[in-house]
Amino acid sequence: MDFKQSIKTCLVDKYVDFNGRASRSEYWYFFLLIMILTLVADIIDASIAGVNYIEHTGYGPAWGVITVLTIIPSITVGVRRLHDINKSGWFMLLFLTGVGVIPLLYWSIQVSDKGANNYGEDHMETNGEGIFKPLHEKHLYLSLPILALLTMLGLYDMVIGLPA
């Protein structure tokens, strides 16, 4: 699945669909979109506040709009990603513990189950090569640690960096 297909699937076709499975490419491309939108929202909020982006702290209206529009599809694609490795979507609640981000990150990079599992049919192509082309897979795995680091920094900023 490419970037455009992932965005269309997550934001249009399966906006509130907790059923079925999501491939790694669908999940991580959508995560990349969220990171890009959050960065753009932070830049907009800094300009609204009249400060430099680097000096801007806190969250503004653009960040709030992006969060409201993407929270539901973020949860649903996470649940479908867990389904893809034959885990219950209820494991998404581990995110609320803080430390639960570690197993969720680990599971999100796991290889999809081959064939049907408890949550649906295999989403991979029947030609044996799968949805990933080798070049895309290589780039996706190189970007995973960077995306994980950005997520952890974002979580740290949200929990520790809030003004008193």
Side-chain angles (χ1 to χ4, degrees), residues 74-86:
S74 297
I75 294 169
T76 59
V77 74
V79 167
R80 291 194 314 271
R81 180 70 199 118
L82 287 169
H83 288 173
D84 195 44
I85 59 166
N86 211 20

Side-chain angles (χ1 to χ4, degrees), residues 18-21 79-80 82-89 91 112-122:
F18 291 90
N19 299 314
R21 298 166 64 168
V79 167
R80 291 194 314 271
L82 287 169
H83 288 173
D84 195 44
I85 59 166
N86 211 20
K87 298 245 182 261
S88 171
F91 279 112
S112 302
D113 281 359
K114 302 275 188 244
N117 68 15
N118 295 335
Y119 300 99
E121 294 297 319
D122 192 353

Side-chain angles (χ1 to χ4, degrees), residues 98-158:
V99 132
V101 172
I102 295 167
L104 288 171
L105 178 62
Y106 174 75
W107 290 331
S108 69
I109 62 175
Q110 293 298 300
V111 176
S112 302
D113 281 359
K114 302 275 188 244
N117 68 15
N118 295 335
Y119 300 99
E121 294 297 319
D122 192 353
H123 53 78
M124 301 298 273
E125 303 285 5
T126 57
N127 64 8
E129 189 176 339
I131 292 173
F132 282 122
K133 302 292 184 244
L135 183 62
H136 288 105
E137 189 170 339
K138 179 181 175 185
H139 289 295
L140 184 65
Y141 291 130
L142 291 174
S143 65
L144 288 178
I146 294 168
L147 293 173
L149 179 63
L150 289 173
T151 302
M152 288 180 200
L153 290 174
L155 291 174
Y156 177 82
D157 186 43
M158 286 191 328

